[in-house]
């Protein structure tokens, strides 16, 4: 079966399907028209004030920005090995909305974007295609379909038996594995990306990727309506010679500052690629680092009979053979009572030297061969066949072997025993046993002793004395025994409990334990542990060993190891404490992160992060300037590229740096390190520099002006997973290379984007590219759904139903606006009626609310204020004026339409610009309009509006309850279907009993600002009328927190005219309730009598014997009564 019938493009098969698209198509047509208009007008191209406007050196950066306010925001440039997906667009939307609002604040706005191609992914994919073509032909015509359910291996789970060191912070990421696609070959991935079969062979050339995907990215973002200044785009690597010069400057200066060093260290390494494998080089295992172990050398004193028989004469006489367990707890080695092996695991005996041999798994030996053990440190094997394997034998054959355990109090030796839970995928496959402090070991030994015959061992082998090694305050000096008995763990199969027990034992022992034996007796475990390890290494009873904390697979499908090799690295972390402290202080006190969780993550990362390999030999990139056999690693050439945006358009016109930019005379080789220093305010200009560079003084000052105006970066919007590398590097390198005034102002992190409540996944068909979303819903509906998705660091949710519903919302609102602005029947004259003033006041409040939301980068709330609540205010006004028989005011409606377009512009600019230009007939684009200025809302009118809302709702809800009772055949007070009368009871005085609670509220306001609900409740409860009093107390509290003046609330004066408001409401209530008569009665104290202020009986009529409902009326909380009347 051939390629043509393979249905691989199923990534969106389980997303929402649209049927009638006429309304969507109308909106998209408008969007395309306005996108073309914006691009033609170049409205998103922003420049710094020229040196002609403000002469060079006449103002510093802060003064320049004060005179000409600016906003500079970025999103991490995307990697160009595919199209942008909805997750990209979610992060982009955060800076995009902010940029839109900043324009409305009158700022010059710069939102640029470049394209990242550095590293292994593109080169690895291209090389895989070369292999695919060799197998299947140029167009894969020889491919026969096979089982396509093959998935890439996922990281191995953390295993309880050898859990990573709990004393170390670990960066947790799952981004790469979440993108796994159920296909086997690279050409199938290309098919799934939508690349035609006949075109795929072109991608076998890595260079082709660099020209294919950037234009697609640009096109998709233009279709999204992104406010990007595309003059400033660029491509990384030496494919762009100007950017290449910039990266060389960066690396040279970091090396001069001793931030880049050369040394030998452990790192994740790909044997196939022959180089370190950093985060962005991985298919799985992003965030995984080396785990340091102490590899103990347990010398064989006497082989078990089966092992001796298998080994025979294969080892030389006088050879020393060591079982090599890897431990995280060298301080407990005094308590070794045995050594465990997996009886079903195959082990190897590997030659270290002529008379020295190690016993471990093949996997561990392969890993160790890159750490200078089996081979010279300057040679790494290419294949596992090179390993010096002498013999393989099963773990079961070694059971009973007597070994010498260094430091153990059992100096005559300990036995090798079976442990079913030992895994070959972690450590060396050999585990040393310390039952005093390891719950796993303790429980396993108890089980072995109980079932010695079953396991084929001598019982006494499992019953060596357990000696106390560490004293702990919580668990005594036999921690494992205490915890196992307390948790009632009786079997090695109780894996969940044992994992929990291990955590408890390890943390207690490390942080609170005291050594009871050995050279460091009396010292804390935390202090003694490194000393004991060092002593073991020095005596050669152990050696250092490291392996990945979980499985790492490179982009070339190679399972990675840990190598100990010489490399160039950025000296992040504890080895440059001053640099780390600067970064930590800035995160704590200077950097805006918007959310505490983000700041916490940075603080943890700065504590954990250590030296980072910054060079490689395989992939794409800029060459390391002083050692050109290396390429700069992909996360090291992308730390400060934001400053390159400031001058990119001046240097080159195109993405690749082939066409000269605005300063057309400048060539790449003129961009020396000294020139970059001047541009980035690291040195001043000299005549010698001008002469040497061949660049004019004016051009140099022009480039510097762009940098000093736009920098520092105002916001870097990113996914939270990049805190683990890119964002932390971004902070470090800015601090190293720039004066403090140019350090970034803020980093805003978001969570991952779910799609319809589930993880986005191509393999499950729940996946959308940005292009898919725009073609399906249009740009504005997509943008609204992204704004609605959420703003925190927790995972957000792009709900397709939200995008779909907003197609209808935008279309209907557009139609209504088009009709209403032409409506000749609208009421003319001054908008000063009751409903007019309420509506105008609510619009003013929402304009201010939306502004506050945008300023706080709270886009979900901004959407609520600027669209949902704003249209809700219009609906209320329309219904109220219709019910009152007066209709809407023409001028106020036009103000609403104008405000609606302005408020929604950051989020839905196409729709808003259509309304602005084609409906309101404004002369120029809304993209250049300013945020509206409105007066502060009136507390009185806001209170009246809330009163109208709540009173209307209570009345209509009560009537609905009566109708439901009637429908169910229950007894009712009146028949809602028959002619009826509504009487509303309003009180002009508060009940006397309420005064004492006002005194309580006044006291709490002065004492706690009403922030202590517990204390308030306690005081009210003590006064004995909780059921009656609490609703009253809460209503007062609400008024105060809503902004009403304390004297107004405590004097028990309403902020508005209640009776006047009820009289305005009656016409509308008559219509909504269907009542023939609506009467308003002001009740006297006690509620038995009252005076009619509106009704058939005439104003001023006294009424007695009022219904019981009248008794509960209080100022601001009217009661009401329905009754049937005759026609």
């Amino acid at each position: 079966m051939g390629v043509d019938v393979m249905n691989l493009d199923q990534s969106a098969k389980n997303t929402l399907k649209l049927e009638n698209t006429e309304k969507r198509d109308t909106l998209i047509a408008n969007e395309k028209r306005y996108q073309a208009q914006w691009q033609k007008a170049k409205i998103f191209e922003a420049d710094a004030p020229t040196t002609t406007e403000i002469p060079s050196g006449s103002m510093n950066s802060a003064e320049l920005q004060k005179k000409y306010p600016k906003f500079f925001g970025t999103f991490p440039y995307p990697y160009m090995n595919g199209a942008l997906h909805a997750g990209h667009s979610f992060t982009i939307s955060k800076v995009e909305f902010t940029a839109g609002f900043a324009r409305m604040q009158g700022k010059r706005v710069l939102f640029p974007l470049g394209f990242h191609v550095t590293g292994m992914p593109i080169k690895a994919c291209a090389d895989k295609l070369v292999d695919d073509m060799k197998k299947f032909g140029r167009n894969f015509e020889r491919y026969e379909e096979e089982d396509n359910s093959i998935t890439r291996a996922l990281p191995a789970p953390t295993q309880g038996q050898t859990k990573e060191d709990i004393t170390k912070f670990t960066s947790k990421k799952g981004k790469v594995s979440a993108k796994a696609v159920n296909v086997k070959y690279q050409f199938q991935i290309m098919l799934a990306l939508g690349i035609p079969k006949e075109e795929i062979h072109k991608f076998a050339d890595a260079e082709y990727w660099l020209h294919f995907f950037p234009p697609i990215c640009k096109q998709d973002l233009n279709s999204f309506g992104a406010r990007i200044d595309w003059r400033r785009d660029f491509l990384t690597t030496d494919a762009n010679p100007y950017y290449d010069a910039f990266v060389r400057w960066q690396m040279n200066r970091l090396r001069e500052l001793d931030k880049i060093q050369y040394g030998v260290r452990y790192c994740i390494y790909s044997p196939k690629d022959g180089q370190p494998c950093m985060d962005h080089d991985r298919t799985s295992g992003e965030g995984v680092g080396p785990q340091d172990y102490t590899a103990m050398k347990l010398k064989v004193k006497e082989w078990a009979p089966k092992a001796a028989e298998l080994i025979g004469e294969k080892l030389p006489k006088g050879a020393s053979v060591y079982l090599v367990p890897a431990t995280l707890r060298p301080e407990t080695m005094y308590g070794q009572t045995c050594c465990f092996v997996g009886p079903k695991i195959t082990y190897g005996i590997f030659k270290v030297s002529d008379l020295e041999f190690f016993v471990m798994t093949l996997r561990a030996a392969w890993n160790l061969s890159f750490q200078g053990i089996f081979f010279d440190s300057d040679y790494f094997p290419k294949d596992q066949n090179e390993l010096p394997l002498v013999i393989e034998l099963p773990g079961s054959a070694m059971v009973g072997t007597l070994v010498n355990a260094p430091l153990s109090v059992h100096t005559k030796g300990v036995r090798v025993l079976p442990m079913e839970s030992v895994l070959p995928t972690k450590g060396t496959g050999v585990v040393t046993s310390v039952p005093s402090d390891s719950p796993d070991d303790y429980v396993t030994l108890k089980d072995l002793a109980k079932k010695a015959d079953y396991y084929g061992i001598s019982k006494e082998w499992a019953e060596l004395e357990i000696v106390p090694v560490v004293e702990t305050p919580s668990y005594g000096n036999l921690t494992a025994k205490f915890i196992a008995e307390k948790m009632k763990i009786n079997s090695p199969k109780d894996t969940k409990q044992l994992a929990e027990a291990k955590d408890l034992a390890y943390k207690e022992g490390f942080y609170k334990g005291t050594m009871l034996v050995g050279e460091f007796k009396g010292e804390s475990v935390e202090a003694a542990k490194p000393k004991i390890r060092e002593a073991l290494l020095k005596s050669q009873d152990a050696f250092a060993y490291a392996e990945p904390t979980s499985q790492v697979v490179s982009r070339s499908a190679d399972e990675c190891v840990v190598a100990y090799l010489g490399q160039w690295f950025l000296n992040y972390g504890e080895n440059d404490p001053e640099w780390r402290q600067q970064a930590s202080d800035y995160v704590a006190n200077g950097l805006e992160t918007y959310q505490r969780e983000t700041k916490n993550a940075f603080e943890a990362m700065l504590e954990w992060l250590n030296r980072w390999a910054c060079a490689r030999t395989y992939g794409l990139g800029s060459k390391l300037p002083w050692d050109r056999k290396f390429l700069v690693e992909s996360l090291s050439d992308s730390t400060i590229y934001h400053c390159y945006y400031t001058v990119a358009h001046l240097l080159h016109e195109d993405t690749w740096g082939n066409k000269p930019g605005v300063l057309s005379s400048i060539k790449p080789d003129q961009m020396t390190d000294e020139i970059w220093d001047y541009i980035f305010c690291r040195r001043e200009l000299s005549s010698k520099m001008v002469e040497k560079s061949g660049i004019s003084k004016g051009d140099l000052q022009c480039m510097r002006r762009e940098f000093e105006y736009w920098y520092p970066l105002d916001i870097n919007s990113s996914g939270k997973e990049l805190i683990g590398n890119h964002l932390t590097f971004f902070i470090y390198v800015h601090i190293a290379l720039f004066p403090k005034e140019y350090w970034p102002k803020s980093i805003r992190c978001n969570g991952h984007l779910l799609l319809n409540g589930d993880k986005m996944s191509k393999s499950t068909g729940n996946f959308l590219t940005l292009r898919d979303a725009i073609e399906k819903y249009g740009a504005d509906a997509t943008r609204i759904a992204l704004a609605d998705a959420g703003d925190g660091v927790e995972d957000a949710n792009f709900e397709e139903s939200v995008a779909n519903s907003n197609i209808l919302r935008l279309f209907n609102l557009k139609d209504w606006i088009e009709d209403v602005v032409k409506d000749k029947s609208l009421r003319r004259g001054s908008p000063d009626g009751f409903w007019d003033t309420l509506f105008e006041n609510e619009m003013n409040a929402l304009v201010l609310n939306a502004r506050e939301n945008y300023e706080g980068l709270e886009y979900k709330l901004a959407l609520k204020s600027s669209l949902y609540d704003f249209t809700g205010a219009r609906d209320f006004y329309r219904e109220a004026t219709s019910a009152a028989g007066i209709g809407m005011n023409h001028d106020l409606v036009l103000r609403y339409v104008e405000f609606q377009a302005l408020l929604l512009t950051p989020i839905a600019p196409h729709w808003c610009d259509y309304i602005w230009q084609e409906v309101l007939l404004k002369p120029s684009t809304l993209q250049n309009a300013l945020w509206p200025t409105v007066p502060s809302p009136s507390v009185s009118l806001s209170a009246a509006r809330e009163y109208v809302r709540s009173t209307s709702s209570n009345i209509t809800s009560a009537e609905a309850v009566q109708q439901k009772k009637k429908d169910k055949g229950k007894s009712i007070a009146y028949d809602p279907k028959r002619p009826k009368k509504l009487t509303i009871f309003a009180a002009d005085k508060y009940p006397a009993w309420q005064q004492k609670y006002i005194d309580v509220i006044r006291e709490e306001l002065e004492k706690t600002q009403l922030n202590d609900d517990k204390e308030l409740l306690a005081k009210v409860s003590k006064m004995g009328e909780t059921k009656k009093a609490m609703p009253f107390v809460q209503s007062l509290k609400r008024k105060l927190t809503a902004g009403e003046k304390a004297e107004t609330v405590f004097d028990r004066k309403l902020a508005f005219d209640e009776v006047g408001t009820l009289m305005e409401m009656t016409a509308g209530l008559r219509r909504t309730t269907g009542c023939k008569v609506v009467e308003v009665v002001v009740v006297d104290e006690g509620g038995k009598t009252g005076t009619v202020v509106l009704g058939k009986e005439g104003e001023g009529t006294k009424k007695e014997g009022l219904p019981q409902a009248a008794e509960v009326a209080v100022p601001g909380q009217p009661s009401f009564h329905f009754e049937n009347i005759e026609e």
Side-chain angles (χ1 to χ4, degrees):
M1 191 176 293
V3 173
D4 287 333
V5 297
M6 290 169 54
N7 188 14
L8 290 176
D9 194 7
Q10 296 286 300
S11 61
K13 65 182 180 182
N14 291 327
T15 60
L16 188 66
K17 303 296 183 290
L18 302 188
E19 295 178 0
N20 187 345
T21 63
E22 182 182 350
K23 293 179 173 63
R24 178 203 68 185
D25 296 343
T26 298
L27 294 175
I28 288 178
N30 289 340
E31 290 169 356
K32 296 299 181 188
R33 191 164 67 255
Y34 280 93
Q35 287 163 9
Q37 182 191 112
W38 300 336
Q39 290 167 30
K40 183 179 180 181
K42 301 180 179 180
I43 62 173
F44 303 135
E45 296 181 3
D47 294 301
T50 67
T51 52
T52 302
E53 295 174 85
I54 305 294
S56 180
S58 62
M59 283 187 181
N60 63 31
S61 180
E63 291 168 340
L64 193 62
Q65 292 163 10
K66 184 177 182 180
K67 183 175 179 64
Y68 300 99
K70 64 89 183 179
F71 169 82
F72 178 21
T74 62
F75 154 80
Y77 47 20
Y79 199 81
M80 288 293 100
N81 60 346
L84 300 181
H85 55 69
H88 286 118
S89 57
F90 179 58
T91 305
I92 290 171
S93 73
K94 303 305 180 184
V95 68
E96 163 65 17
F97 299 155
T98 310
F101 180 66
R103 293 179 68 90
M104 302 188 77
Q105 292 176 297
K107 298 177 181 178
R108 298 192 190 195
V109 171
L110 177 58
F111 178 16
L113 191 67
F115 307 108
H116 198 202
V117 296
T118 307
M120 284 182 56
I122 289 174
K123 184 72 169 79
C125 291
D127 289 351
K128 288 178 190 176
L129 282 175
V130 172
D131 292 340
D132 289 354
M133 289 162 63
K134 287 178 182 177
K135 284 183 182 179
F136 306 122
R138 176 185 171 94
N139 292 320
F140 316 102
E141 60 274 2
R142 295 196 300 273
Y143 175 76
E144 295 293 328
E145 189 164 6
E146 53 192 76
D147 182 3
N148 288 320
S149 63
I150 299 170
T151 57
R152 300 199 184 281
L154 296 176
T158 302
Q159 295 147 2
Q161 288 82 353
T162 51
K163 184 179 177 183
E164 60 200 54
D165 192 341
I166 56 91
T167 67
K168 307 294 184 184
F169 170 80
T170 305
S171 175
K172 304 291 186 184
K173 304 189 195 107
K175 180 181 176 183
V176 174
S177 59
K179 296 178 182 176
V181 183
N182 294 343
V183 290
K184 183 176 182 179
Y185 298 107
Q186 182 63 38
F187 81 89
Q188 294 173 314
I189 295 174
M190 306 307 288
L191 284 170
L193 288 174
I195 308 297
K197 178 183 62 175
E198 296 77 13
E199 298 289 316
I200 291 176
H201 68 89
K202 297 178 182 178
F203 291 86
D205 177 4
E207 181 79 13
Y208 187 74
W209 297 67
L210 278 54
H211 292 268
F212 184 83
F213 283 110
I216 291 174
C217 176
K218 188 181 294 189
Q219 182 182 355
D220 289 350
L221 286 168
N222 283 338
S223 296
F224 185 62
R227 301 171 174 92
I228 293 174
D229 183 349
W230 288 115
R231 298 174 305 156
R232 300 172 186 261
D233 73 345
F234 59 86
L235 200 71
T236 64
T237 75
D238 53 8
N240 183 318
Y242 293 96
Y243 188 78
D244 190 51
F246 165 72
V247 171
R248 289 198 304 272
W249 162 79
Q250 172 189 336
M251 302 307 285
N252 279 331
R253 291 300 181 246
L254 287 170
R255 188 184 181 208
E256 289 168 8
L257 291 167
D258 206 29
K259 305 304 181 187
I260 294 179
Q261 299 177 355
Y262 187 85
V264 180
R265 60 188 288 270
Y266 289 117
C267 69
I268 304 295
Y269 183 87
S270 167
K272 180 177 179 180
D273 300 330
Q275 64 179 11
C277 185
M278 309 310 288
D279 274 359
H280 283 191
D281 303 329
R282 303 175 186 178
T283 298
S284 65
E286 187 176 358
V288 171
Q291 173 66 68
D292 294 329
Y293 290 94
T294 302
M296 301 294 296
K297 295 169 65 175
L298 276 59
K299 186 175 181 180
V300 174
K301 300 179 71 173
E302 175 188 317
W303 284 108
K306 289 182 182 178
E309 182 181 344
L310 288 170
I311 294 168
E313 302 296 323
K314 294 177 181 177
L315 296 176
K317 288 184 179 180
S320 296
V321 183
Y322 299 91
L323 273 73
V324 184
T327 181
L328 294 170
R329 304 194 65 187
E331 75 279 7
T332 64
M333 293 299 98
Y334 301 99
Q336 295 174 87
T337 63
C338 73
C339 175
F340 290 127
V341 295
K344 298 176 183 178
I345 294 175
T346 298
Y347 293 85
I349 299 180
F350 298 90
K351 181 179 178 180
V352 180
S353 64
D354 289 344
L355 292 176
E356 185 174 20
F357 298 81
F358 287 170
V359 179
M360 59 182 60
T361 60
L362 181 69
R363 172 192 164 278
W366 175 242
N367 194 79
L368 194 57
S369 66
F370 295 88
Q371 298 172 26
I373 296 295
F374 299 124
F375 302 94
D376 292 338
S377 58
D378 59 351
Y379 176 79
F380 288 164
K382 305 298 182 186
D383 187 271
Q384 292 189 10
N385 291 327
E386 295 185 52
L387 289 173
L389 175 64
V390 177
I391 184 176
E392 289 186 314
L393 66 167
S396 57
M398 291 190 287
V399 171
T401 295
L402 183 67
V403 295
N404 177 63
L407 296 187
S408 174
V409 297
H410 299 292
T411 55
K412 293 182 179 180
V414 300
R415 296 287 176 171
V416 175
L417 298 179
M419 188 181 200
E420 296 287 349
S421 57
V422 173
L423 296 178
T425 53
K426 200 76 172 177
T428 61
V430 181
V431 179
T432 188
S433 171
V434 183
S436 58
D437 291 270
S438 168
D440 290 273
D441 298 351
Y442 177 79
V443 172
T444 298
L445 282 172
K446 295 281 286 184
D447 187 61
L448 288 171
K450 189 186 301 182
K451 304 174 185 175
D453 292 341
Y454 172 79
Y455 288 110
I457 65 170
S458 296
K459 185 177 181 182
E460 59 268 22
W461 293 351
E463 291 186 327
L464 293 188
E465 180 187 0
I466 300 174
V467 296
V469 177
V470 174
E471 178 77 39
T472 64
S474 301
Y475 310 130
N477 60 18
L478 291 174
T479 294
K481 180 176 186 293
F482 183 98
I483 294 176
E485 290 177 353
K486 183 178 181 181
M487 296 180 67
K488 299 180 180 178
I489 305 173
N490 298 311
S491 169
K493 295 180 181 178
D494 296 335
T495 53
K496 186 176 180 181
Q497 285 179 288
L498 281 169
E500 183 182 346
K502 179 175 181 176
D503 277 353
L504 293 172
Y506 197 176
K507 289 175 182 177
E508 177 81 7
F510 181 79
Y511 291 111
K512 299 179 181 179
T514 302
M515 297 299 301
L516 295 175
V517 294
E519 181 182 353
F520 305 101
K521 179 180 178 180
E523 291 192 23
S524 71
V525 169
E526 194 167 0
K529 179 176 181 174
K531 297 177 184 178
I532 295 170
R533 184 177 193 267
E534 186 60 33
L536 284 165
L537 299 181
K538 188 174 182 180
S539 68
Q540 298 187 1
D541 286 320
F543 59 91
Y545 170 70
E547 67 179 31
T549 55
S550 61
Q551 188 185 59
V552 177
V553 178
S554 75
R555 298 276 183 180
S556 57
D558 184 36
E559 183 170 353
C560 294
V561 297
V562 166
Y564 190 65
L565 78 166
Q567 57 187 287
W568 293 103
F569 56 82
L570 276 152
N571 198 29
Y572 301 133
E574 61 189 6
N575 294 291
D576 191 335
E578 183 181 353
W579 196 15
R580 181 167 74 172
Q581 191 60 51
Q582 280 184 296
S584 297
D585 290 345
Y586 192 61
V587 166
N589 302 311
L591 184 71
E592 172 61 66
T593 60
Y594 302 99
Q595 297 174 85
R596 184 68 234 185
E597 298 94 323
T598 301
K599 192 176 289 289
N600 291 343
F602 273 119
E603 289 171 348
M605 192 64 202
L606 286 166
E607 182 67 27
W608 173 79
L609 179 66
N610 215 317
R611 293 168 169 172
W612 185 270
C614 61
R616 61 155 58 79
T617 57
Y618 174 79
L620 305 178
S622 296
K623 289 182 172 58
L624 204 60
W626 60 88
D627 197 348
R628 293 179 65 80
K629 67 177 178 288
F630 288 107
L631 300 171
V632 179
E633 182 264 338
S634 64
L635 283 165
S636 300
D637 81 337
S638 56
T639 55
I640 56 168
Y641 62 87
H642 319 79
C643 65
Y644 185 81
Y645 285 130
T646 64
V647 296
H649 64 304
L650 301 178
L651 298 174
H652 51 87
E653 182 183 321
D654 65 327
T655 305
W656 300 272
N658 294 327
K659 299 178 182 178
V662 175
L663 306 180
S664 57
S665 64
I666 300 177
K667 303 297 186 289
D669 59 4
Q670 293 176 283
M671 298 302 296
T672 63
D673 291 352
E674 291 74 24
I675 295 300
W676 290 113
D677 281 340
Y678 171 70
I679 293 170
F680 298 141
C681 300
R682 290 169 50 86
R683 66 181 299 166
E684 293 307 315
L685 194 59
S686 67
S687 56
K688 184 179 180 180
M689 188 193 306
V690 174
E691 182 180 352
K692 183 181 177 182
S693 70
I695 303 174
S696 72
K697 181 178 180 180
D699 286 354
L700 289 169
Q701 290 176 335
C702 176
M703 289 190 285
R704 178 158 174 161
R705 168 55 54 82
E706 285 285 326
F707 171 76
E708 67 183 358
Y709 176 67
W710 292 115
Y711 245 59
L713 186 65
D714 292 288
I715 185 170
N716 190 358
S717 175
S718 175
K720 65 182 178 183
E721 68 275 5
L722 293 187
I723 292 173
N725 42 55
H726 163 67
L727 293 175
T728 303
F729 302 170
F730 162 78
I731 294 169
Y732 260 120
V733 180
H734 270 88
I735 286 172
L737 292 182
F738 295 105
K740 189 170 184 178
E741 63 188 291
Y742 298 116
W743 294 359
K745 287 185 177 180
S746 75
I747 297 175
R748 187 198 186 286
C749 290
N750 55 261
H752 296 120
L753 185 69
L754 304 177
L755 180 59
N756 301 321
D758 292 319
K759 182 191 294 184
M760 276 204 294
S761 168
K762 293 179 181 177
S763 60
T764 62
N766 191 51
F767 189 84
L768 275 182
T769 64
L770 175 56
R771 178 170 294 191
D772 291 336
I774 294 169
E775 289 178 350
K776 197 170 188 179
Y777 302 110
D780 283 336
T782 297
R783 292 166 68 107
I784 288 172
L786 289 169
D788 191 72
D791 294 308
V793 294
E794 65 279 358
D795 289 350
N797 183 33
F798 182 95
E799 195 66 57
E800 287 192 277
S801 61
V802 172
N804 192 34
S805 66
N806 276 295
I807 293 173
L808 184 62
R809 184 190 302 273
L810 291 175
F811 185 86
N812 288 345
L813 186 54
K814 175 187 75 71
D815 272 7
W816 181 84
I817 289 173
E818 289 171 338
D819 291 340
V820 79
V821 296
K822 301 172 188 174
D823 190 348
K824 303 295 185 183
S825 68
L826 291 179
R827 175 166 44 93
R828 303 284 168 163
S830 177
D832 53 9
F834 175 75
W835 300 111
D836 297 337
T837 55
L838 284 192
F839 182 42
E840 183 177 24
N841 186 73
E842 187 168 14
M843 284 197 294
N844 292 342
L846 289 171
V847 167
L848 296 175
N849 285 348
R851 182 187 184 103
E852 183 179 336
N853 299 148
Y854 281 123
E855 287 174 341
L857 280 63
E858 296 173 311
Y859 304 113
K860 189 178 180 74
L861 290 175
L863 178 67
K864 180 177 182 293
S865 298
S866 60
L867 179 60
Y868 303 145
D869 289 351
F870 212 70
T871 53
R874 175 214 59 177
D875 293 342
F876 185 88
Y877 175 62
R878 180 175 56 180
E879 291 162 9
T881 54
S882 174
I886 58 175
M888 297 183 292
N889 177 270
H890 174 268
D891 294 347
L892 204 53
V893 167
L894 288 184
R895 191 178 309 168
Y896 158 77
V897 173
E898 184 170 317
F899 280 178
Q900 179 64 88
L902 288 166
L903 266 60
L904 199 54
T905 291
I907 295 173
H910 311 83
W911 184 91
C912 296
D913 216 354
Y914 171 84
I915 298 299
W916 190 256
Q917 293 192 58
E918 297 191 36
V919 180
L920 295 176
L921 304 178
K922 300 289 186 178
S924 61
T925 176
L926 185 61
Q927 293 278 15
N928 293 328
L930 296 178
W931 190 263
T933 300
V934 296
S936 298
S938 159
V939 172
S940 173
L941 290 173
S942 295
R945 175 66 181 83
E946 185 55 37
Y947 178 87
V948 170
R949 192 191 305 272
S950 60
T951 302
S952 299
S953 176
N954 291 340
I955 290 172
T956 53
S957 296
E959 188 177 28
V961 169
Q962 288 296 313
Q963 185 61 50
K964 285 181 181 179
K965 285 184 177 181
K966 181 184 177 185
D967 293 342
K968 292 180 180 179
K970 295 182 178 180
S971 174
I972 56 176
Y974 71 98
D975 186 346
K977 298 294 185 183
R978 290 179 52 209
K980 56 186 180 289
K981 171 185 176 182
L982 168 65
T983 303
I984 303 173
F985 302 108
D988 59 0
K989 293 180 181 177
Y990 288 95
W993 63 267
Q994 292 181 350
Q995 183 58 51
K996 57 185 177 183
Y997 295 101
I998 291 175
D999 295 338
V1000 170
I1001 287 284
R1002 183 185 282 111
E1003 181 183 335
E1004 283 300 302
L1005 179 64
E1006 293 173 358
K1007 184 178 178 183
T1008 70
Q1009 295 298 306
L1010 299 180
N1011 289 325
D1012 191 339
D1013 283 339
K1014 286 186 178 179
E1015 184 173 334
L1016 181 60
L1017 177 61
K1019 285 189 174 182
V1020 172
S1021 298
K1022 285 180 181 178
M1023 299 171 74
E1025 300 172 298
T1026 307
K1027 189 173 181 180
K1028 180 170 67 171
M1030 260 333 274
F1032 170 67
V1033 168
Q1034 291 295 347
S1035 70
L1036 293 182
K1037 181 181 175 183
R1038 279 195 298 272
K1039 291 177 183 179
L1040 290 165
T1041 55
E1044 289 191 38
K1045 294 181 179 179
E1047 56 267 28
T1048 302
V1049 175
F1050 293 146
D1051 289 347
R1052 298 206 279 181
K1053 294 177 182 177
L1054 294 179
F1056 63 99
D1057 178 359
E1058 181 177 16
V1059 172
T1061 300
L1062 285 171
M1063 294 175 74
E1064 294 285 356
M1065 291 174 61
T1066 53
L1069 288 171
R1070 192 178 296 116
R1071 179 174 175 178
T1072 56
T1073 62
C1075 288
K1076 298 293 183 181
V1077 177
V1078 175
E1079 185 175 73
V1080 179
V1081 176
V1082 176
V1083 297
D1084 300 326
E1085 181 86 31
K1088 301 296 185 184
T1089 60
T1091 303
V1092 176
V1093 294
L1094 180 71
K1096 276 190 174 182
E1097 298 182 34
E1099 183 179 349
T1101 302
K1102 287 285 187 180
K1103 298 196 74 172
E1104 298 183 354
L1106 296 178
Q1108 190 173 2
E1111 297 178 16
V1112 298
V1114 293
Q1117 296 177 22
S1119 57
F1120 50 88
H1121 174 73
F1122 284 101
E1123 59 186 306
N1124 290 120
I1125 59 174
E1126 297 299 324
E1127 287 282 1

